[in-house]
Amino acid sequence: MFDIARQHLKTPRDLLRFAMSRFTEAGLFFGHGTDNAWDEAAYLIAHTLHLPIDRFDALLDARLLPSELNDALDILERRVSERVPAAYLTREAWLAGHDFYIDERVIVPRSFIAELLPDGLSPWIEHPELVHRALDLCTGSGCLAILLADAYPDAEVDAVDLSTDALDVATLNIERYGLEQRVTPIESDLWAGVAGNRYDLIVSNPPYVDAESVAALPDEYLKEPELALGSGEDGLDATRAILEQATHFLNPFGVLVVEIGHNRDVLEALYPALTFTWLDTSGGDGFVFLLTREDLVTGGL
């Protein structure tokens, strides 16, 4: 099919129609930056042809050179045949208006926490300048650590991950944004590498997929590092480890923000004494919780 397409397609519009048909026919799964075949195809075509995505519609009928057509079809074919997330094909992912280098060493960035920085954490953090030290646990590509540094310009940020491969990618992104003096990548199994440190704000988007869901993941997710997805039978092993030590790492008025996927009911049943604040996000109010240090102490942690 792709060989035939090389002989007949002429424009980005042709490519877009063809890609949508092939994506739908292949039953691709979307969820790494887009949620439908149209947006995914438009992004891949525009990126490959070096066209601005926000003006893509105006260029749909431009005639393509044979080399341009082949390049676009190559990346579309890989998306279909290998079921690779688009971010791994383009080596790029966007989060909160920032672009990050991404490859198979890290999970593709997609965190509701990004949209909460900084205004969504008010009134718990009244002014950005009140955050002097921040921590991103399970940093992956370093995206949330970099967004923390952007949202809180007076803060020094520690970016922690167990994976040295992930930290190599995080370092690339830290350097890309010129934040070497403010964001520090640290190899650590959660808290071990930051013992003795205290933070005004700690955020984490840890692994949180339960064992049953891991077993049913579509192929696209299986291309991501296994370490970054599953977290025990109920998906909350990492979250429990975060909660049970967090008081030791928060300043007296410190704030903890954690994303946990669809595990709200299970988490609240595990910690009935904790008063979780569930933050409103574009996905709803059941995915990201906030606890102050006082909340943790009052809840017996």
Side-chain angles (χ1 to χ4, degrees), residues 249-293:
F249 297 88
L250 285 167
N251 285 324
F253 296 99
V255 173
L256 172 69
V257 177
V258 181
E259 184 167 335
I260 60 157
H262 296 276
N263 295 323
R264 175 174 175 170
D265 291 343
V266 177
L267 184 68
E268 289 183 325
L270 285 172
Y271 296 96
L274 280 179
T275 304
F276 293 96
T277 296
W278 295 94
L279 301 175
D280 288 326
T281 71
S282 58
D285 64 356
F287 298 96
V288 179
F289 69 77
L290 179 149
L291 291 166
T292 64
R293 187 178 188 279

Side-chain angles (χ1 to χ4, degrees), residues 25 74 93 138 145 156 164 169 185 189 194 203 272:
E25 180 183 48
D74 284 347
C138 308
E156 295 181 358
T164 55
V169 175
D189 187 356
V194 292
V203 305

Side-chain angles (χ1 to χ4, degrees), residues 96-244:
H98 291 64
D99 64 315
F100 299 98
Y101 172 83
I102 299 298
D103 64 31
E104 290 83 353
R105 291 174 290 178
V106 294
I107 194 170
V108 178
R110 50 185 184 279
S111 175
F112 291 120
I113 294 174
E115 64 192 57
L116 296 169
L117 303 174
D119 296 339
L121 300 186
S122 176
W124 299 277
I125 297 176
E126 292 185 315
H127 305 289
E129 58 267 24
L130 295 177
V131 179
H132 299 288
R133 294 205 70 187
L135 170 64
D136 175 20
L137 277 176
C138 308
T139 195
S141 61
C143 56
L144 288 183
I146 289 166
L147 294 177
L148 283 170
D150 183 61
Y152 304 103
D154 293 328
E156 295 181 358
V157 182
D158 288 339
V160 163
D161 206 284
L162 177 61
S163 167
T164 55
D165 283 342
L167 289 175
D168 286 343
V169 175
T171 299
L172 289 174
N173 284 313
I174 292 166
E175 293 173 350
R176 182 176 189 174
Y177 281 94
L179 290 169
E180 299 94 322
Q181 302 305 311
R182 293 184 52 213
V183 180
T184 304
I186 298 172
E187 180 186 353
S188 173
D189 187 356
L190 294 179
W191 304 110
V194 292
N197 291 351
R198 294 271 184 158
Y199 301 95
D200 303 303
L201 173 61
I202 299 172
V203 305
S204 184
N205 183 21
Y208 55 63
V209 184
D210 63 56
E212 182 180 357
S213 298
V214 167
L217 285 173
D219 290 344
E220 283 83 351
Y221 284 103
L222 298 179
K223 298 296 191 296
E224 297 183 292
E226 184 179 356
L227 187 67
L229 296 171
S231 191
E233 190 65 28
D234 63 1
L236 291 172
D237 283 2
T239 302
R240 277 190 288 269
I242 291 169
L243 284 172
E244 290 166 12

